Amino acid sequence: MSFRLFDLNPEQYRAATHPEGALLILAGAGTGKTRVLTARIAWLVSQGVDPASILAVTFTNKAAREMRERVATALNNQQAKAMTLCTFHALCVRLLRRDATLLGYKENFSIFDESDQMGLIKKLASRIHDQQDPINPDLAKNLISKAKNLGSAFPEGTGTALGSLFARYQEELRTLNAMDFDDLLLQARNLLAQHPEARERWQKKYRYILIDEFQDTNRLQMELITHLVSDPINLCVVGDDDQSIYSWRGAESAHLIEFEHAFPNPEIVTLEQNYRSTDVILATANRLIKNNARRRKKNLWSNEKEGESVRVLSAQDDTTEAEFIADEILERHRDESWNQFAILYRMNAQARFFETALRERKIPYRVVGGKSFFDRREIKDVMAYLSALLNPDDDTALLRVLTTPPRGLGKISLQRLMEISVQEKKMLFEVLQEPATLDNFSTKMQEAIRNFLEEWETLKIRLQTPGHDPGALVGEMLREVGYYDDLRKSCKKAEEADARENNVRELLQSLTEYCQKNRREGVQGFLDRMVLEREKEEEEEVNDGVTLITLHAAKGLEFSHVYLVGLEDGLLPHERSKQEGTVDEERRLCYVGITRARKTLVITHCRTRKKFGTMLSCRPSPFLLEIAGEGVEQGSMEEILSRPLEEEDVDDAFARMRSLIA
DNA sequence: AATCGTCTGCTTTTT
DNA sequence: GCAGACGATT
């Protein structure tokens, strides 16, 4: 075995080599969680376990990718390939692509992403049109999602406008042979709950189950796990209740805290030795988190005893906060590369000040989060073509195809087609194919419809021919129907047009590559991946820069120098959390922020801040009182700036001035 | 169908 | 203070 088990500390070793039964690994921040999971998988295989019977589930694609890479180094390639290592959603797609017919879906169902979902909700909401209480689509989406993740396909309040919206939404999805993200979990759960033969088949396949970030599981995911686990129980979960920051999305850390309820007498291993931060930073984190009542007690420690003090600094206002930090980063960059610095904040809106300050000083930076490649119009267009090709029931996708580019079928004709579709209880594509349909339209329209059908059929047939290049075929069709021309026409600048066209080519190129590599999964597999893994392949992390990131997005990352900013009452903890009684989660958020730091940590707060356009005075966050203690220095930025320079700094400043003059 | 102006309402966002 | 949504206008 190439993975060296003797590199593990005693607790890690115990977790990695625990023989059988339920195993709960409480892995504090930076305690080598992924390492242990990888080691455990390697150990299982070394004990003769068939890799194909191992299932390891993560929450993010990134985590899955990282784990796969590490497993591949620990095992040989073939073994690593044989095991299932994916996100919850990808696992569900796998189950459902095989067994969806048992639930009344076809196995070529479409997966609706958030914008598809939103579009459908808006359409239905406008149809219901209740003058009493108009439906807020955002709210509706959240409530539907929440209900589903609690395990229910039905709204709580039937009879309300929202209730009927939920019902019709679900009905519509089924007619379109489509599932949204939550449905993937919901239907997979239903599959295992309602179909014993399927359940047994999957249980038999996955004998060894490992779950990462277990504190983030919602009820549906927990049910799914419970159904999948067979006898003997071989379930290993890893998590940290102190880092549970997604309860607003339905995650229940109670699954971890009360793990024994679901799986009695588990082996429990607590990992407390931290390999990331200095002891001073960890002591600060410990002092903060112990104020949370319901948790599994952990006390992080590190061998790194020599560390700089944690500094808590106040600033007059948000601009000063940003400028001070930017100056300090500039100063420290002398012996650290830019990407060792991170600025962590509660809200994306806070990033702006830091962007300005960094830009003024020509410091490179990257803001994590923002518009995804996959939200771009042209990408959605091509995805619609692929969806409509694979799932003829997906009217949403087909409508997009029919109107992009304009084919002489305008709003009115499409409306008429949809009316016929509703009347005859047939899907849009069937209606198009029906010869009788054409009688309703002018000769010009008939021509347009016939043209489209002809193109579409040709493409379908060619795609099915073996040895084809799907990317090239779709690209060819797009060109023939004038899609590229239309795309260019809709752009103001030539640069934008080039960029969009390039995006399409890139997408088609990766379609071709995917199909070459994964013969069996084909176009369907590619589409699944595109919807579920909404990240561009060459996420260019090569360029060096300071990271600007929200606390939520920072989980799992680490930086040598961390600036945790905006520690003000109402911002962290956020005002709304105080109203909703979820300050504990805000504390965990703060805890996550602190534990990202390897060497130095600066925590800042402003005495005044611009909110909604006006300057308001701010009180320091109550968390600052909780972290106060040995190794934490307090100060103000103004005081530091007015402090007389120390001698060497003066020398330095003179030296720099002289070199500027020279 | 596109563009302009006004109104509103304000976390976090793994898939 | 500003983005995003929506409705009125050409």
Side-chain angles (χ1 to χ4, degrees):
Chain A
M1 180 171 40
S2 62
F3 197 88
R4 289 147 63 194
L5 279 175
F6 46 79
D7 279 350
L8 302 174
N9 72 33
E11 288 75 34
Q12 290 176 331
Y13 184 87
R14 193 154 65 88
T17 61
H18 175 255
E20 198 167 77
L23 169 64
L24 167 62
I25 307 173
L26 291 167
T31 55
K33 179 188 63 154
T34 311
R35 194 182 167 73
V36 172
L37 270 178
T38 316
R40 178 159 180 81
I41 290 169
W43 180 79
L44 284 171
V45 174
S46 79
Q47 298 301 104
V49 170
D50 177 7
S53 67
I54 297 177
L55 168 67
V57 185
T58 62
F59 272 81
T60 66
N61 295 304
K62 198 169 157 218
R65 209 180 321 122
E66 274 169 19
M67 192 120 92
R68 174 158 324 169
E69 278 163 20
R70 290 174 75 160
V71 168
T73 359
L75 303 173
N76 69 46
N77 250 348
Q78 207 182 357
Q79 288 170 323
K81 256 196 194 145
M83 57 174 288
T84 307
L85 203 169
C86 62
T87 65
F88 266 108
H89 290 81
L91 170 69
C92 293
V93 170
R94 199 180 165 126
L95 305 198
L96 292 167
R97 282 273 172 243
R98 173 130 185 216
D99 287 335
T101 40
L102 294 173
L103 298 160
Y105 288 86
K106 299 177 198 159
E107 62 288 286
N108 62 344
F109 60 87
S110 297
I111 301 170
F112 272 28
D113 71 11
E114 236 166 312
S115 66
D116 300 327
Q117 185 187 19
M118 202 59 184
L120 187 53
I121 288 175
K122 276 185 179 160
K123 195 181 91 184
L124 296 175
S126 72
R127 255 194 237 159
I128 289 177
H129 207 74
D130 192 322
Q131 59 285 350
Q132 284 289 335
D133 60 322
I135 288 175
N136 171 353
D138 272 306
L139 201 75
K141 193 193 77 171
N142 285 338
L143 285 174
I144 289 174
S145 176
K146 215 166 213 170
K148 284 188 183 177
N149 281 303
L150 284 171
S152 151
F154 300 100
E156 275 179 26
T158 28
T160 63
L162 246 163
S164 59
L165 174 73
F166 193 170
R168 290 176 73 169
Y169 171 72
Q170 218 41 29
E171 233 170 77
E172 187 76 5
L173 277 179
R174 214 170 241 284
T175 323
L176 298 174
N177 190 27
M179 300 191 199
D180 64 22
F181 284 156
D182 301 318
D183 279 338
L184 295 175
L185 301 173
L186 186 70
Q187 300 303 346
R189 190 279 312 258
N190 289 348
L191 171 73
L192 297 178
Q194 296 160 9
H195 298 273
E197 72 291 347
R199 180 173 63 237
E200 276 161 34
R201 180 154 41 79
W202 289 110
Q203 282 182 347
K204 220 167 138 192
K205 169 148 178 63
Y206 297 126
R207 293 251 101 123
Y208 295 84
I209 301 178
L210 302 95
I211 316 282
D212 190 19
E213 303 280 14
F214 188 67
Q215 77 281 353
D216 288 338
T217 48
N218 65 35
R219 202 170 295 176
L220 212 42
Q221 289 160 331
M222 188 60 187
E223 285 181 38
L224 196 72
I225 296 167
T226 322
H227 285 308
L228 219 44
V229 169
S230 52
D231 200 37
I233 293 170
N234 266 307
L235 173 68
C236 164
V237 305
V238 190
D240 180 5
D241 46 322
D242 291 336
Q243 291 186 73
S244 159
I245 55 174
Y246 283 104
S247 71
W248 50 276
R249 282 202 120 196
E252 295 178 35
S253 58
H255 294 145
L256 189 148
I257 297 172
E258 292 155 20
F259 186 65
E260 295 89 333
H261 288 184
F263 300 95
N265 304 318
E267 176 79 8
I268 301 179
V269 180
T270 310
L271 305 179
E272 294 179 305
Q273 181 175 2
N274 173 295
Y275 296 93
R276 177 187 296 154
S277 314
T278 65
D279 220 33
V280 179
I281 291 169
L282 295 177
T284 310
N286 287 332
R287 271 199 299 277
L288 174 73
I289 203 65
K290 71 165 191 261
N291 291 288
N292 272 0
R294 233 168 62 98
R295 63 183 281 259
R296 300 232 184 213
K297 286 225 167 62
K298 268 173 258 80
N299 209 53
L300 296 181
W301 60 276
S302 155
N303 272 332
E304 207 55 61
K305 304 293 180 196
E306 309 289 315
E308 268 183 50
S309 298
V310 171
R311 285 179 298 152
V312 175
L313 301 177
S314 77
Q316 179 50 46
D317 53 45
D318 33 23
T319 314
T320 315
E321 180 186 44
E323 294 189 334
F324 180 92
I325 290 174
D327 280 334
E328 190 175 294
I329 291 176
L330 198 57
E331 177 99 6
R332 286 195 178 179
H333 170 60
R334 274 186 265 169
D335 35 39
E336 235 4 314
S337 67
W338 296 121
N339 53 20
Q340 288 308 312
F341 297 93
I343 300 171
L344 273 48
Y345 38 78
R346 178 67 236 263
M347 286 193 296
N348 283 313
Q350 288 169 262
R352 280 194 42 222
F353 295 94
F354 295 97
E355 285 193 70
T356 314
L358 292 170
R359 218 176 4 233
E360 277 170 4
R361 288 160 184 76
K362 304 226 177 348
I363 299 173
Y365 65 87
R366 60 185 195 114
V367 186
V368 178
K371 303 290 157 283
S372 159
F373 178 74
F374 296 91
D375 291 328
R376 305 221 175 107
R377 199 188 71 218
E378 65 277 17
I379 299 302
K380 295 238 68 177
D381 288 339
V382 181
M383 304 272 273
Y385 270 78
L386 299 179
S387 299
L389 278 167
L390 293 172
N391 175 14
D393 295 326
D394 191 343
D395 287 1
T396 318
L398 186 57
L399 278 173
R400 190 172 185 132
V401 171
L402 288 171
T403 49
T404 350
R407 289 184 161 76
L409 287 167
K411 220 179 181 176
I412 307 290
S413 346
L414 285 172
Q415 230 163 42
R416 205 135 54 145
L417 281 166
M418 285 313 284
E419 273 163 32
I420 301 172
S421 147
V422 172
Q423 267 168 28
E424 312 230 327
K425 292 200 168 44
K426 283 178 181 152
M427 302 312 292
L428 180 58
F429 192 69
E430 288 178 86
V431 173
L432 284 176
Q433 284 182 308
E434 205 85 12
T437 305
L438 298 177
D439 301 342
N440 294 289
F441 294 92
S442 64
T443 357
K444 219 175 121 198
M445 294 294 164
Q446 294 184 11
E447 187 62 21
I449 293 174
R450 265 197 287 266
N451 261 342
F452 166 75
L453 283 176
E454 203 176 303
E455 288 160 6
W456 202 241
E457 272 318 306
T458 323
L459 181 58
K460 258 193 195 168
I461 290 166
R462 281 202 217 149
L463 274 176
Q464 277 157 13
T465 334
H468 64 272
D469 173 349
L473 286 176
V474 175
E476 206 175 299
M477 165 160 193
L478 288 175
R479 195 169 39 77
E480 276 168 22
V481 300
Y483 174 78
Y484 288 115
D485 297 335
D486 182 56
L487 184 66
R488 298 201 77 92
K489 223 166 56 196
S490 70
C491 298
K492 287 202 175 113
K493 283 191 205 150
E495 291 167 8
E496 188 194 344
D498 291 342
R500 285 187 193 273
E501 201 177 312
N502 254 336
N503 287 336
V504 173
R505 292 193 194 287
E506 220 173 281
L507 186 72
L508 293 175
Q509 180 63 34
S510 50
L511 168 65
T512 298
E513 280 166 24
Y514 181 90
C515 290
Q516 276 166 2
K517 263 195 244 161
N518 308 276
R519 278 277 154 70
R520 281 181 53 199
E521 282 81 12
V523 183
Q524 183 74 259
F526 176 77
L527 200 51
D528 287 351
R529 236 177 93 168
M530 281 297 139
V531 179
L532 292 178
E533 303 180 21
R534 305 166 47 82
E535 36 194 90
K536 227 172 149 196
E537 271 173 34
E538 5 94 52
E539 212 24 80
E540 277 154 51
E541 283 177 50
V542 265
N543 48 30
D544 189 23
V546 175
T547 302
L548 272 60
I549 191 170
T550 64
L551 287 164
H552 281 94
K555 191 170 82 163
L557 306 177
E558 59 177 47
F559 305 92
S560 291
H561 310 287
V562 165
Y563 294 85
L564 182 50
V565 306
L567 263 266
E568 292 138 40
D569 199 13
L571 230 195
L572 184 65
H574 195 272
E575 191 57 39
R576 209 136 125 189
S577 76
K578 290 164 65 181
Q579 287 160 24
E580 289 169 4
T582 54
V583 174
D584 278 11
E585 179 140 317
E586 300 286 305
R587 189 177 282 108
R588 291 193 289 267
L589 212 39
C590 187
Y591 175 81
V592 166
I594 294 172
T595 52
R596 296 312 95 197
R598 271 202 291 260
K599 297 184 197 160
T600 77
L601 172 64
V602 180
I603 300 174
T604 66
H605 63 102
C606 302
R607 296 190 290 277
T608 61
R609 177 183 292 278
K610 235 186 209 155
K611 265 183 195 164
F612 311 135
T614 36
M615 271 296 191
L616 292 173
S617 77
C618 311
R619 304 200 56 75
S621 165
F623 298 157
L624 291 176
L625 287 175
E626 300 175 8
I627 63 172
E630 204 187 327
V632 177
E633 284 174 12
Q634 311 263 347
S636 90
M637 295 181 185
E638 290 78 12
E639 172 222 330
I640 291 171
L641 290 173
S642 65
R643 206 184 281 163
L645 290 173
E646 282 167 34
E647 218 168 285
E648 51 185 302
D649 289 335
V650 176
D651 286 351
D652 218 52
F654 275 124
R656 254 180 291 168
M657 241 185 281
R658 243 178 318 223
S659 72
L660 271 176
I661 296 164

